[in-house]
Amino acid sequence: MQSVETLEKIAKRIKRDIIQLTAANTGHPGGAIGAAEIFAELYFSRLRHNPKNPDWEDRDRFILSNGHICLALYSSLARTGYFDVEELRTFRKINSRLQGHPSREDLVGIETASGPLGQGVSIANGIAMAQKLKKSDANVYCLVGDGELQEGQIWEALMTSAHHKLDNVALIVNWNNIQIDGHVKDIMNIEPIDEKFKSFGWNVINIDGHNLSEVKEAFDQFEKNEGSPTAIIAKTVLGNGISYMENKAVWHGQAPSKEQAFQALQEIGETDFGSDLILN
Amino acid sequence: MTAQRAGRDGFGQAMMELGEENEKVVALGADLAESVKVHYFAEAYPERYFQIGIAEQDMIGTAAGLALSGYIPFTTTYAVFAAQRANEQIRLAVCYNNSNVKLAVSHAGLTTGEDGATHQALEDIASMRAMPNMTVLVPADASEAYEATKAAAEYQGPIYLRLGRTPVSELTNGVGEFKIGKARKMKEGKDVTIFACGIMVERAVEAHDILAKKGVDAEIINIHTIKPLDEVAVLESAKKTGCVVTAEEHSIIGGLGGAVAEVLSEKFPIPLKRIGTQDTFGESGPPEELLTKYGLTAEKIVEAVEEVIEKKNVMAVSSK
């Protein structure tokens, strides 16, 4: 377990990677930056995993259902030692293992391909069922976007998790109220999210997704909960900490210019973790 | 003629045995356990049977999760609800992940019968065949469905296993061994080759007997594996007979006929005729009447054979 202070620095490190890797290139920076604290807690503190033995059978699994924010995942994998940090530079380039959306067959540490929305919870359920069959106490963590809750398959899967009492599943909803066409509320309202999950038989925890104490506490509660799956509704700000990016739908899938990237890096601030990458 | 059984019966039997033989085999259902004959397995191995309810997309994803954790999941539903409703889930969670999921589907084709066009998958082979990493199996009878199920459990990778609903005669029992990707020669002949799959193998054998009386010596090859297609067997037979008819309970677009035509047009172009549904939906009715109405009969195969032989002869004369 890492301290909140350390994880805050790690989250900054992840954000810097995301900015540097999308700068003057392509990718989806906004949602990934907004989820940096969640990735910091999961990969650097919470998950029972071994980057040197990625296929370890009793590892905890992380399923990124909203695959477009994979830069946060790639940064986390590289900086926990799954592959060389330098390889991050190949993101979205030809012949790269770091595909625009995650590819399990290409990159070590990816539990499943994702990108087409709505599929992660089903896959997480299947993995969770397998752990129970094997009598393994490994947990399955799955991150979904809030707009993604508009996909019908999500609700099929939510029923399955509760019906089969998969208390080894933690679903984190990255609730930033932004999707490509605008605000989730306006495009197709999904609220009240917590009441929907409760009525589907889930253990529900509401948190501020940028407050690492709350993030930690939520996962602690999940680990103690028995008999039902846990949903952590994490309120986040798209592009959190970058003034021109915060809460703007355009930053779902737009890369910053070099000038914008420099400004973002200044606003995020320096970290004492490793050397910064140069801009693409 | 031996007792008739449906492909799904062979599947149900194989699953029971697999439950005993291999603890990694699990099954998932979408409210159709008895229809797909997985209910025997579900009763015998309840801890390894997962009821997902009427939610096929979720079922496919869940199966992928189980496969990614080392299990060998068989999903069970009708062909339309797997290949077609959950098409994109199959593409991403199964094929792109190359996860070891076996998609067992029943009620494929016109012989689904009275339920009508909504439930008669006639395009599923085409869409499954187009997916990278996918293997497509279409057994001809119950014993071949049994063998295909056993082979699918042994095979590492995604498999689409297309099972019929209606009973057919036992034809393949004792005819060589079943091997994924290896065509099965049902009748040796020299004048024409009939490539068939699924229930149309039985019609092809009937056509063989009709043709024999007319002095035509037809070779019958059962292509139980549509993908990967046994190109060696297809080319070898085509070169021997010089003309080809394909027969399947599926659209002539993109299925067995499409696969054979692709290979032959590139590597050995000869007269070819495809028997199957002609870019149309089916309808309600008794299976046999539907097969007759839509031209999936031994008689239509015979007509097609006479047509390709005629073409072959014309070409032989004009090239002299």
Side-chain angles (χ1 to χ4, degrees):
Chain A
M1 291 270 175
Q2 299 281 0
S3 70
V4 165
E5 293 69 33
T6 304
L7 291 175
E8 279 169 351
K9 289 181 195 168
I10 291 171
K12 280 188 182 181
R13 176 67 271 170
I14 293 171
K15 289 182 185 179
R16 292 183 72 88
D17 283 346
I18 294 164
I19 290 295
Q20 288 171 315
L21 292 166
T22 47
N25 195 345
T26 66
H28 296 77
I33 284 169
E37 287 83 7
I38 292 164
F39 277 91
E41 164 66 14
L42 282 171
Y43 272 87
F44 297 81
S45 189
R46 181 70 47 174
L47 288 181
R48 199 172 52 172
H49 66 139
N50 181 356
K52 298 300 168 213
N53 182 16
D55 296 328
W56 174 35
E57 220 184 311
D58 282 325
R59 71 190 182 280
D60 289 339
R61 270 77 165 179
F62 174 72
I63 302 296
L64 180 66
S65 189
N66 50 338
H68 60 274
I69 72 161
C70 56
L71 261 179
L73 175 58
Y74 294 159
S75 167
S76 301
L77 290 173
R79 294 194 179 273
T80 49
Y82 281 86
F83 53 85
D84 196 297
V85 170
E86 283 298 303
E87 194 175 345
L88 288 173
R89 294 166 192 271
T90 67
F91 175 59
R92 284 189 168 232
K93 291 181 177 158
I94 196 150
N95 297 324
S96 173
R97 300 197 293 172
L98 280 63
Q99 290 292 295
H101 293 82
S103 166
R104 175 189 164 88
E105 286 289 282
D106 287 303
L107 186 61
V108 63
I110 302 293
E111 300 287 359
T112 178
S114 60
L117 297 172
Q119 300 199 35
V121 189
S122 303
I123 295 166
N125 285 342
I127 294 172
M129 287 168 172
Q131 304 318 306
K132 288 199 177 270
L133 266 183
K134 286 192 284 193
K135 311 244 184 290
S136 166
D137 61 355
N139 287 321
V140 188
Y141 298 83
C142 177
L143 181 67
V144 294
D146 52 355
E148 186 175 9
L149 297 181
Q150 291 159 357
E151 288 281 6
Q153 187 187 347
I154 289 275
W155 301 93
E156 296 180 1
L158 295 185
M159 281 189 274
T160 298
S161 327
H163 183 87
H164 288 280
K165 300 187 169 52
L166 301 176
D167 53 14
N168 50 349
V169 170
L171 181 65
I172 307 115
V173 180
N174 186 20
W175 185 18
N176 60 23
N177 196 30
I178 301 277
Q179 59 187 115
I180 295 177
D181 277 355
H183 290 104
V184 176
K185 228 177 216 180
D186 303 326
I187 304 302
M188 180 51 65
N189 192 19
I190 54 167
E191 294 177 45
I193 303 178
D194 52 356
E195 286 177 28
K196 284 193 174 77
F197 274 89
K198 276 178 202 156
S199 72
F200 271 65
W202 283 63
N203 170 41
V204 180
I205 305 167
N206 286 290
I207 61 164
D208 169 353
H210 302 308
N211 182 325
L212 275 154
S213 302
E214 290 188 26
V215 172
K216 272 184 177 302
E217 173 60 25
F219 286 128
D220 286 345
Q221 280 187 40
F222 153 66
E223 288 182 4
K224 286 181 208 129
N225 184 62
E226 286 182 7
S228 61
T230 293
I232 298 167
I233 319 289
K235 195 98 185 68
T236 63
V237 173
L238 179 129
N240 181 48
I242 300 163
S243 55
Y244 61 84
M245 200 180 277
E246 286 191 354
N247 281 323
K248 296 211 172 60
V250 64
W251 292 105
H252 163 92
Q254 175 180 293
S257 67
K258 287 200 174 181
E259 293 69 29
Q260 286 169 325
F262 279 119
Q263 184 189 334
L265 291 175
Q266 279 180 334
E267 291 186 20
I268 293 164
E270 294 294 333
T271 72
D272 46 3
F273 289 93
S275 59
D276 280 345
L277 293 163
I278 56 160
L279 288 172
N280 278 351
Chain B
M1 194 175 280
T2 53
Q4 294 202 326
R5 289 192 305 154
R8 57 181 174 160
D9 295 316
F11 168 73
Q13 184 194 341
M15 285 301 287
M16 276 300 282
E17 293 177 20
L18 282 169
E20 173 71 26
E21 295 162 6
N22 190 340
E23 61 175 21
K24 291 290 182 194
V25 170
V26 299
L28 297 91
D31 199 34
L32 290 167
E34 197 172 339
S35 288
V36 194
K37 303 295 175 197
V38 76
H39 60 306
Y40 305 115
F41 180 94
E43 282 158 23
Y45 307 99
E47 72 291 347
R48 281 191 273 151
Y49 178 72
F50 298 97
Q51 176 62 264
I52 303 296
I54 308 167
E56 295 81 8
Q57 301 170 39
D58 182 42
M59 175 173 68
I60 302 297
T62 307
L66 281 154
L68 295 175
S69 308
Y71 285 93
I72 306 169
F74 281 76
T75 65
T76 56
T77 185
Y78 293 175
V80 279
F81 306 137
Q84 300 177 299
R85 174 176 286 244
N87 188 277
E88 204 260 331
Q89 284 75 12
I90 293 173
R91 179 174 184 270
L92 179 93
V94 179
C95 290
Y96 192 44
N97 274 338
N98 202 12
S99 62
N100 198 21
V101 175
K102 318 301 171 185
L103 306 155
V105 303
S106 74
H107 292 60
L110 289 172
T111 48
T112 298
E114 290 80 354
D115 280 345
T118 55
H119 286 53
Q120 295 162 347
L122 294 169
E123 317 81 15
D124 56 320
I125 297 175
S127 64
M128 290 298 99
R129 191 168 78 81
M131 291 206 188
N133 291 337
M134 183 63 92
T135 290
V136 179
L137 305 181
V138 186
D141 57 21
S143 51
E144 193 163 79
Y146 168 89
E147 292 175 299
T149 306
K150 287 287 188 83
E154 289 293 315
Y155 178 88
Q156 179 67 37
I159 286 190
Y160 184 72
L161 175 58
R162 191 188 206 236
L163 306 163
R165 174 184 175 240
T166 45
V168 291
S169 306
E170 290 288 341
L171 297 162
T172 62
N173 206 352
V175 186
E177 66 163 340
F178 179 88
K179 204 160 171 263
I180 290 174
K182 197 94 184 76
R184 215 167 199 168
K185 194 175 282 185
M186 307 298 295
K187 300 277 181 192
E188 186 90 38
K190 60 177 181 2
D191 297 333
V192 62
T193 307
I194 304 170
F195 294 109
C197 65
I199 63 155
M200 293 308 287
V201 173
E202 185 178 19
R203 275 85 193 160
V205 170
E206 279 175 46
H208 168 274
D209 296 346
I210 299 169
L211 287 162
K213 286 183 191 131
K214 297 184 175 197
V216 176
D217 187 12
E219 179 146 300
I220 312 295
I221 296 186
N222 167 12
I223 306 280
H224 53 66
T225 306
I226 311 293
K227 184 190 172 189
L229 185 69
D230 188 347
E231 290 193 17
V232 171
V234 168
L235 284 165
E236 195 182 274
S237 182
K239 283 175 183 169
K240 179 171 73 173
T241 64
C243 59
V244 161
V245 169
T246 64
E248 65 200 300
E249 192 190 8
H250 182 272
S251 170
I252 57 165
I253 299 171
L256 169 67
V260 170
E262 286 161 16
V263 170
L264 291 181
S265 60
E266 281 190 356
K267 296 184 177 165
F268 191 69
I270 50 172
L272 176 147
K273 178 96 182 162
R274 294 165 296 159
I275 297 288
T277 54
Q278 307 291 313
D279 195 16
T280 179
F281 289 106
E283 65 181 75
S284 291
E288 282 301 326
E289 290 178 30
L290 286 170
L291 292 174
T292 302
K293 175 165 176 177
Y294 289 86
L296 275 64
T297 60
E299 292 69 30
K300 287 287 175 189
I301 295 174
V302 168
E303 282 174 29
V305 163
E306 287 167 343
E307 196 181 317
V308 293
I309 288 179
E310 172 68 21
K311 275 189 195 158
K312 175 174 75 168
N313 291 340
V314 169
M315 284 164 71
V317 169
S318 63
S319 67
K320 269 177 191 166

